[in-house]
Amino acid sequence: MEIPLLSIAIVICILFSGFFSATETAFSSLNKIRLKNMAENKDKRSRLVVRLSDNYDGLISTILIGNNLVNILATTLATILFAKLIEDASVSNTVSTAVMTVAVLIFGEITPKTIAKRSPEYFAKLVAPMVLGIYYLLYPLNCLFKLWQILVGKIFKKRDDSNITDEELITIVDEAQTEGGLDAYEGELIRSAIEFDDLTVTDVLTPRVDVEAIEISAKMQDVLKVFVESGFSRLPVYKDSIDTIVGVINEKDFYKAYMDGAKSMNKLICKNVVYATPLMKISILLRRLQKAKTHLAIVVDEFGGTMGIVTLEDILEELVGEIWDEHDEVVEEFVKLTDDKYVVQGDANLEEFFEFFQANADEYEYEPVTVSGFVVMLLGRVPAVGDVVDFENLTLTVKRTEYHKVTQVEVVRSEPQQEEPEQE
């Protein structure tokens, strides 16, 4: 009668070992955000799981104590069992060790952990009441181990590196997208929001040469012509030169005054101008534009001159992508002609250029932010139509220029040359 009872006791111990192993896996891999959302929807089991996971040190101590107790008990009972079945002590000990190792490994570790890993939230909610009861049962032992943890913590002090970096957040987003929790658009939107604070005004500004502005003494008919031809809803107003911006005029205000027969636009100029520096973070500029209730900022260089402008739309496009309206002319920055030949616009972003052609270069190593500036840097002079420059396995040929600026480049990509091994 002793042998059946010992066998049943060993099986029960192995089952408890599997229970503790599965519980440890479930609580270490569950999604706390998902559980907190469930808890907010009045799910009592989810609330209990959140409460237990918040006290993770006490929880893990309970699981480890319970797991070790049942494993030690199972090993002891197995030794007694096989001692009764096999008279030779050395053989019985060897068989007992082998059988218990295989049994605990398969039924106490691998199988339960695999099951819990597949659905950690469901398993955690299923076993939470039982885990809570075991926690209170082993509470005195937990208190002793907690004192030991405090002592170890004072000896081995924790480094202050628990803050999550942007790279880690992006990795989390990539994993969520891979697992199907986010689609491609949502993933890109979150990545843009994470990287948003790293961008400066220089990354989004419209350069001075492309700025449409009007002189403060311009006639109403001339201002009307600029609004019609440019399609812009706001225009900077300058005095004497574009380096002296005195305000901004709104298209709606102008048309209303024009229809009412106004002879001058002086009363229409909004002098609440927001100024920005090239290295200012666009997140800071966005808050300034919101506070000033305006949509346009003037970027000034170190000498106080006008470097360009940044609009609210330019900043928002860094979050949601390009925003087109009925007045915008849609121009593709990268056009494929053949398998190895492309046409690239000069104002294309240099980072996107490197990414598109899978270049090994780092855009942060170069001062230019556009393909036009990159070509000028490589040539070392003002470019002309027909100029050719090589970079890695790319051949760039200047096709169009305007006001000493490259507006279009032809890029031919060749296969990278394989390095020949050195001859001995």
Side-chain angles (χ1 to χ4, degrees):
M1 190 65 183
E2 290 182 4
I3 293 177
L5 290 176
L6 287 171
S7 300
I8 293 171
I10 292 170
V11 171
I12 293 173
C13 288
I14 292 175
L15 291 176
F16 268 102
S17 177
F19 166 79
F20 286 119
S21 297
T23 303
E24 180 184 359
T25 300
F27 275 90
S28 62
S29 58
L30 56 78
N31 190 324
K32 288 187 177 180
I33 297 175
R34 188 180 302 165
L35 276 170
K36 286 181 179 179
N37 289 334
M38 294 179 184
E40 289 176 358
N41 294 329
K42 299 182 179 179
D43 187 344
K44 294 183 179 179
R45 287 290 183 93
S46 298
R47 289 181 182 177
L48 179 57
V49 173
V50 171
R51 197 176 77 182
L52 288 170
S53 61
D54 287 341
N55 184 23
Y56 188 75
D57 289 340
L59 174 68
I60 202 68
S61 294
T62 301
I63 292 172
L64 292 176
I65 292 170
N67 202 10
N68 279 281
L69 286 176
V70 295
N71 284 339
I72 293 170
L73 181 59
T75 304
T76 304
L77 294 174
T79 302
I80 298 172
L81 174 64
F82 284 100
K84 292 181 177 294
L85 295 174
I86 303 172
E87 294 182 358
D88 192 334
S90 61
V91 175
S92 67
N93 289 336
T94 303
V95 173
S96 173
T97 302
V99 171
M100 288 306 299
T101 299
V102 174
V104 171
L105 188 63
I106 295 175
F107 301 105
E109 293 291 335
I110 296 176
T111 303
K113 286 186 175 182
T114 302
I115 295 172
K117 182 70 174 177
R118 292 182 179 275
S119 185
E121 292 83 16
Y122 174 78
F123 188 86
K125 290 197 296 182
L126 185 66
V127 302
M130 189 173 180
V131 173
L132 183 63
I134 296 173
Y135 174 80
Y136 286 125
L137 181 65
L138 299 177
Y139 187 76
L141 289 175
N142 272 325
C143 291
L144 292 176
F145 281 103
K146 189 172 184 180
L147 293 174
W148 173 253
Q149 288 175 346
I150 294 172
L151 178 61
V152 172
K154 291 193 175 191
I155 297 173
F156 301 98
K157 293 184 178 180
K158 182 181 178 181
R159 294 183 179 178
D160 189 16
D161 56 355
S162 58
N163 293 333
I164 299 178
T165 62
D166 289 351
E167 291 77 13
E168 291 172 338
L169 285 173
I170 292 174
T171 302
I172 293 172
V173 174
D174 292 338
E175 290 179 356
Q177 189 173 332
T178 303
E179 294 174 359
L182 298 173
D183 59 30
Y185 176 75
E186 291 172 335
E188 187 61 32
L189 188 62
I190 296 174
R191 277 190 289 270
S192 298
I194 294 171
E195 297 171 349
F196 184 72
D197 199 49
D198 296 332
L199 298 173
T200 62
V201 168
T202 306
D203 297 319
V204 300
L205 69 82
T206 300
R208 174 192 175 111
V209 294
D210 295 330
V211 174
E212 290 284 353
I214 51 177
E215 218 276 332
I216 191 171
S217 59
K219 297 179 180 179
M220 295 291 283
Q221 194 66 32
D222 296 334
V223 178
L224 175 63
K225 184 178 179 181
V226 175
F227 269 121
V228 172
E229 291 179 353
S230 66
F232 296 137
S233 59
R234 292 171 181 81
L235 292 174
V237 180
Y238 64 88
K239 182 179 181 180
D240 298 331
S241 74
I242 198 172
D243 288 318
T244 312
I245 303 292
V246 295
V248 177
I249 186 170
N250 189 292
E251 180 185 29
K252 293 181 180 179
D253 297 335
F254 171 79
Y255 280 128
K256 184 178 183 302
Y258 184 82
M259 296 300 293
D260 291 340
K263 300 299 182 181
S264 173
M265 63 175 183
N266 290 338
K267 295 182 179 180
L268 306 176
I269 299 174
C270 175
K271 297 184 179 180
N272 185 22
V273 181
V274 174
Y275 292 93
T277 59
L279 298 180
M280 179 185 289
K281 301 288 186 181
I282 61 174
S283 57
I284 297 175
L285 180 57
L286 175 60
R287 289 192 288 270
R288 289 193 178 183
L289 290 173
Q290 290 175 315
K291 186 176 181 180
K293 297 182 176 61
T294 184
H295 287 224
L296 187 145
I298 308 300
V299 184
V300 294
D301 58 25
E302 59 181 313
F303 305 106
T306 301
M307 186 176 179
I309 63 171
V310 174
T311 65
L312 189 62
E313 181 179 311
D314 294 330
I315 298 175
L316 295 179
E317 283 180 339
E318 294 300 320
L319 282 174
V320 300
E322 292 292 334
I323 303 174
W324 304 99
D325 60 29
E326 59 275 12
H327 300 293
D328 290 333
E329 180 183 355
V330 181
V331 179
E332 293 187 25
E333 295 182 334
F334 301 90
V335 179
K336 184 177 181 180
L337 301 179
T338 63
D339 289 340
D340 57 356
K341 185 182 292 185
Y342 301 82
V343 171
V344 180
Q345 300 301 316
D347 57 357
N349 184 271
L350 186 59
E351 179 183 358
E352 295 177 1
F353 175 83
F354 288 151
E355 183 178 352
F356 184 86
F357 289 103
Q358 298 179 349
N360 295 324
D362 184 356
E363 74 278 4
Y364 296 109
E365 295 179 0
Y366 304 99
E367 185 176 347
V369 295
T370 64
V371 173
S372 173
F374 185 59
V375 172
V376 173
M377 186 200 72
L378 293 177
L379 285 171
R381 56 178 171 81
V382 177
V385 175
D387 283 339
V388 179
V389 63
D390 293 324
F391 176 75
E392 292 189 4
N393 63 323
L394 305 175
T395 300
L396 291 75
T397 304
V398 179
K399 287 298 181 181
R400 292 182 186 173
T401 61
E402 183 179 344
Y403 301 114
H404 310 297
K405 181 182 72 171
V406 178
T407 58
Q408 196 175 84
V409 177
E410 181 185 85
V411 180
V412 178
R413 179 166 53 187
S414 59
E415 291 296 329
Q417 296 181 354
Q418 299 292 334
E419 294 184 3
E420 297 182 2
E422 295 182 2
Q423 299 292 331
E424 294 183 1

